[in-house]
Amino acid sequence: MKVGLYLHIPFCKSRCIYCDFYSTTSHDKREKYVANLCKEIAMKRALIGSEALLSSIYFGGGTPSLLSLPQLEALFGTIRKYYTYFSPEIEITLEANPDDITTTYAKGIHNLGINRVSLGVQSFHDQQLSFLGRRHNAQQVVEAIETLHKVGIDNISIDLIYGLPEAPLTWWETTINKAIALHPSHISAYALTYEVGTKLSRLATKGEILIKNDDEVYEEYNLLIRKLAEAGYVHYEISNFALPHREAIHNSSYWEGTPYLGVGPSAHSYITLCEETILGKECFQSGDKLRFANMAQLTSYEREIERGYIPIDFIEKLGFKERYEETLMLRLRTQKGIDLSLFNKDFGTSCREQLIHRAQPYIDQGLLLYQRDRLAPTERGFFVIDGIISSLFL
Ligand code: SF4
């Protein structure tokens, strides 16, 4: 059975104005945190079968590239101690800020086995980067990619943000052009969101920045899709584009229902139990499909780990309805969509017929595509997929 491992690294050097993820800027907590993460890797190993084949490892954050090479080495040592089987094609990703990528660091992570780096680029305009509170500039992105290539890491993903306020469409076009010119194997692009409690949202509420309307954001999204398609990128998930055969293995495991274990504050896990297990204060049976998450605050997370407990915040046992909704929510975000013959096997003919019946208006409007026994979003459908999915629920 394939399994993915996610390690959450909740440290940032400074806070970006749009971000509401939990992270801390304290430097002195990292050593103790790594030791606790190692303990959690060991504790959670028993939750999946002894034959588990590790197909991906993902260091996400926060800013994982703030971990030193010895700290990363300690984590890899623990992973190797508790996992026997590694897929020959294992994908090991480190999220990084471009200005952390020095030659020494790049060589070090490559030697540890990291074969994919996801760079938080966001924009190629220094003015926008500084407005967002990012600590790198556009030139540092170019240098980071060159450095990674030199040490042999050629699987590079970059994150971009569209819908940024106060910027003409031409600025977004320049960002896309510069991204394409660097030829990363993968690009993720997200619309800017105004999360409550962030400095960005306060600026918007006070009317101090000019936010873009839905039509303007849609125009930027469309431009992105068109230019990346012309450059040979496959739009394989609503926010993700890859050169052929360079789709992210770890992220795809979320959409395809591959089990994964998450460690660190707020990390989520999704598993099918292979034996009766007590988790939190509940007893679950072999075959139960569980989704659960860790506590989000670093202090409560560390307190539980030090007491010898998995720091569970919530556990959800997925029944028929939850599995049905989750299948729609995850698969309809991807270009492959839902394989209706598999769907039929999981949920029965009547559910399949109901799904096609409810999807028909969207098929007629060109938002969903129904062909070769698959139901999938079209490019236009991707932009409004959340509304479509909720209307297809039982
Ligand atoms: S570096 Fe990433 S996680 Fe840290 S504050 Fe900025 S956006 Fe948030």
Side-chain angles (χ1 to χ4, degrees):
M1 177 192 61
K2 281 188 182 175
V3 66
L5 181 64
Y6 174 83
L7 298 96
H8 190 65
I9 311 299
F11 301 107
C12 292
K13 257 192 197 158
S14 52
R15 298 284 306 161
C16 306
I17 66 165
Y18 55 93
C19 180
D20 72 337
F21 291 171
Y22 173 75
S23 70
T24 168
T25 50
S26 308
H27 293 213
D28 51 350
K29 295 187 173 160
R30 290 181 209 156
E31 204 63 43
K32 181 176 160 209
Y33 179 71
V34 167
N36 280 325
L37 216 45
C38 289
K39 285 184 199 158
E40 195 192 356
I41 292 169
M43 279 183 214
K44 278 196 170 154
R45 178 62 184 89
L47 294 176
I48 49 167
S50 54
E51 302 298 307
L53 176 75
L54 213 48
S55 55
S56 63
I57 302 174
Y58 193 100
F59 293 87
T63 312
S65 53
L66 288 180
L67 291 186
S68 65
L69 293 172
Q71 287 166 343
L72 284 169
E73 204 172 339
L75 290 168
F76 274 107
T78 305
I79 294 169
R80 282 196 206 94
K81 183 171 170 193
Y82 289 96
Y83 288 85
T84 315
Y85 305 108
F86 291 74
S87 159
E89 293 88 34
I90 188 165
E91 175 193 270
I92 308 180
T93 304
L94 180 88
E95 285 184 358
N97 214 60
D99 63 338
D100 290 330
I101 303 296
T102 61
T103 301
T104 309
Y105 196 73
K107 274 186 190 156
I109 60 173
H110 184 52
N111 289 341
L112 286 171
I114 288 167
N115 53 20
R116 184 172 183 272
V117 170
S118 174
L119 291 172
V121 173
Q122 320 312 357
S123 165
F124 280 94
H125 289 276
D126 288 346
Q127 199 179 323
Q128 285 182 321
L129 290 170
S130 138
F131 167 74
L132 293 172
R134 302 293 310 191
R135 58 185 163 93
H136 65 277
N137 59 40
Q139 181 55 28
Q140 285 172 311
V141 176
V142 178
E143 288 162 12
I145 292 180
E146 275 172 15
T147 305
L148 291 167
H149 279 154
K150 270 189 203 146
V151 303
I153 300 178
D154 67 349
N155 196 358
I156 297 170
S157 178
I158 65 175
D159 281 2
L160 299 175
I161 299 180
Y162 58 94
L164 291 174
E166 320 244 338
L169 185 64
T170 49
W171 281 35
W172 175 235
E173 187 162 15
T174 316
T175 284
I176 302 171
N177 289 342
K178 290 195 175 172
I180 291 171
L182 291 169
H183 208 60
S185 48
H186 190 277
I187 296 177
S188 301
Y190 303 96
L192 182 70
T193 52
Y194 293 79
E195 303 297 338
V196 178
T198 60
K199 183 175 172 193
L200 181 72
S201 141
R202 286 195 292 278
L203 288 174
T205 311
K206 285 192 218 150
E208 290 179 16
I209 48 171
L210 200 60
I211 65 174
K212 291 201 165 122
N213 63 36
D214 286 353
D215 289 344
E216 289 169 314
V217 176
Y218 183 57
E219 200 179 2
E220 293 196 1
Y221 181 66
N222 255 333
L223 182 67
L224 174 79
I225 290 171
R226 184 169 57 74
K227 292 198 79 94
L228 292 188
E230 285 165 9
Y233 287 84
V234 180
H235 188 188
Y236 73 103
E237 195 267 348
I238 188 165
S239 308
N240 288 285
F241 304 79
L243 290 175
H245 315 298
R246 291 294 203 155
E247 292 88 354
I249 294 176
H250 187 82
N251 293 8
S252 297
S253 68
Y254 296 152
W255 308 315
E256 288 170 5
T258 308
Y260 56 87
L261 281 177
V263 292
S266 76
H268 285 234
S269 302
Y270 169 69
I271 55 169
T272 303
L273 288 177
C274 46
E275 59 186 23
E276 188 180 286
T277 303
I278 294 175
L279 194 57
K281 289 185 179 136
E282 289 177 74
C283 182
F284 296 96
Q285 304 305 312
S286 172
D288 282 351
K289 288 185 186 302
L290 303 181
R291 180 171 296 290
F292 51 99
N294 279 352
M295 295 165 176
Q297 296 295 320
L298 184 58
T299 40
S300 27
Y301 167 83
E302 296 206 312
R303 188 194 57 229
E304 289 302 289
I305 293 279
E306 280 157 18
R307 290 171 62 208
Y309 296 117
I310 295 177
I312 299 276
D313 179 30
F314 73 82
I315 307 176
E316 186 187 14
K317 181 175 148 186
L318 303 182
F320 184 90
K321 184 173 181 293
E322 291 81 16
R323 284 194 300 110
Y324 176 92
E325 292 181 355
E326 185 161 284
T327 300
L328 263 53
M329 279 192 287
L330 297 177
R331 305 285 163 96
L332 283 180
R333 294 179 64 85
T334 68
Q335 185 200 41
K336 284 187 198 160
I338 297 174
D339 178 331
L340 290 167
S341 59
L342 288 179
F343 186 86
N344 203 46
K345 242 163 75 188
D346 283 350
F347 301 105
T349 315
S350 127
C351 273
R352 175 201 156 105
E353 295 311 319
Q354 269 192 61
L355 175 63
I356 296 169
H357 177 70
R358 288 182 191 189
Q360 195 57 53
Y362 302 112
I363 298 167
D364 296 341
Q365 291 168 54
L367 297 170
L368 291 177
L369 201 63
Y370 174 35
Q371 64 180 20
R372 290 192 216 101
D373 217 20
R374 279 188 176 275
L375 187 67
T378 61
E379 285 293 2
R380 273 203 308 123
F382 264 140
F383 198 70
V384 286
I385 200 65
D386 289 342
I388 296 177
I389 290 171
S390 52
S391 74
L392 299 176
F393 285 168
L394 288 172

